[in-house]
Amino acid sequence: MSYEKEQTVAIQACLQAAKLCERVRSTIPVAIEKVDHSPVTLADFGSQALICHRIHSEFPDDPIVAEESPKVLLKPEQADNLKQIVAYVKEEHKDADEQQVIEWIGYGTGHVSQRYWTLDPIDGTKGFIRRDQYAIALALIVDGDVKVGILACPAYGDDGGLLFYAVRGKGAYSQSIKAFNTTIPTRIYTVIDNDINNFRFVESVEAAHGDQAKQTKIARIIGIQAAPIRMDSQVKYAAVACGQAAIYFRFPNPHSHGYRENIWDHAAGAIIVQEAGGKVTDMDGKALNFRDNEKMLDNRGVVVSNGSIHEKILEAVKD
């Protein structure tokens, strides 16, 4: 199956969402605290509304497993925020109303199935709020295998950001977001420099998202002496895919033993790195499980590499 239609629809949906997100970020973004005390912004909800509406319109039988739920917006104290979200969505759909926007966001409360989409409408919300890196991440999964992946990264690369996308078996590509319709896609590859002395590794800005001490230790063991590049969101996958970094480590935080990764935080980035020539596994060398649950319950941590150094990393972790 070519997945040509799926790729085209997903790209256009993410470009729409990127436009909305940057519109919100041109002001000081309003953050709402979720039940788990993590932040969510008007842009998260607006992005999810646009993408879920587009995917549901074209593929009505496909469930969408997204990060956000519209429930928080139904609270009376969120009435003004809901009106503002609708105003942003109206820039793309002038006839949208509050009931429709809530419904569109709610399309993202689907469940993992044989064929489904997974979406993080803004991956790296803290980076978005402080006007740093963030990504809009969308992936199609069939029989547990990621078939299409899109990362819109409005703050990465050239002016206006870069869009990264891949279809299984067809390579990974990047393209300007701002000039998408007038530029030619660039095929990307993970290995830019084969000299390990020049390798860099990338990790999260947030110390709580991993084990930075262990990540640095493993980097030193395999011969990387340079300081880590720290970024928010799945932009880290993009950095490996286009050769800016050779490795992305995300080891479990030693203070959060029971934590498991969410599928929407890794699916889109994983296929882009793999199609660029890299490898993605957990710390034990197992493939990431996108088949069974919205949490990757069978996986411990994540290791992303340019491919050439992957087995050396896993051996160092094992030792």
Side-chain angles (χ1 to χ4, degrees), residues 5-53:
K5 179 180 178 181
E6 286 86 345
Q7 175 185 271
T8 299
V9 170
I11 286 174
Q12 292 304 318
C14 288
L15 289 173
Q16 270 193 333
K19 182 179 176 182
L20 181 149
C21 291
E22 286 298 278
R23 172 76 177 86
V24 176
R25 203 159 74 144
S26 67
T27 64
I28 298 174
V30 176
I32 302 166
E33 187 173 82
K34 295 194 284 189
V35 175
D36 63 0
H37 304 298
S38 63
V40 61
T41 71
L42 307 187
D44 292 76
F45 291 115
S47 172
Q48 182 158 318
L50 289 178
I51 293 173
C52 287
H53 172 57

Side-chain angles (χ1 to χ4, degrees), residues 7 11 149 151 156-158 161-167 170-177 179-192 238 240-243 272-273 275-277:
Q7 175 185 271
I11 286 174
L151 286 179
Y156 185 71
D158 299 333
L162 289 173
L163 184 83
F164 296 85
Y165 54 93
V167 173
K170 297 187 177 181
Y173 297 85
S174 70
Q175 208 163 341
S176 166
I177 291 177
F180 182 83
N181 293 321
T182 59
T183 57
I184 298 173
T186 299
R187 183 144 187 190
I188 55 174
Y189 298 93
T190 57
V191 179
I192 302 299
V240 175
C242 66
I272 290 168
V273 167
E275 287 297 313

Side-chain angles (χ1 to χ4, degrees), residues 260-292:
R260 290 296 183 269
E261 299 289 336
N262 300 307
I263 56 174
W264 52 73
D265 288 327
H266 297 280
I271 187 175
I272 290 168
V273 167
Q274 290 165 343
E275 287 297 313
K279 291 186 178 181
V280 181
T281 67
D282 69 6
M283 293 170 63
D284 301 312
K286 295 192 298 183
L288 303 188
N289 185 348
F290 301 117
R291 181 188 299 273
D292 298 325

Side-chain angles (χ1 to χ4, degrees), residues 48-49 52-53 89 93 96 99-108:
Q48 182 158 318
C52 287
H53 172 57
V89 172
H93 297 280
Q99 183 176 348
Q100 286 178 315
V101 170
I102 289 292
E103 181 180 2
W104 296 352
I105 296 169
Y107 289 152

Side-chain angles (χ1 to χ4, degrees), residues 82-98:
L82 177 56
K83 284 184 174 63
Q84 186 59 62
I85 293 165
V86 173
Y88 286 125
V89 172
K90 276 178 172 288
E91 294 180 13
E92 296 294 332
H93 297 280
K94 65 179 181 178
D95 296 326
D97 58 32
E98 290 185 8

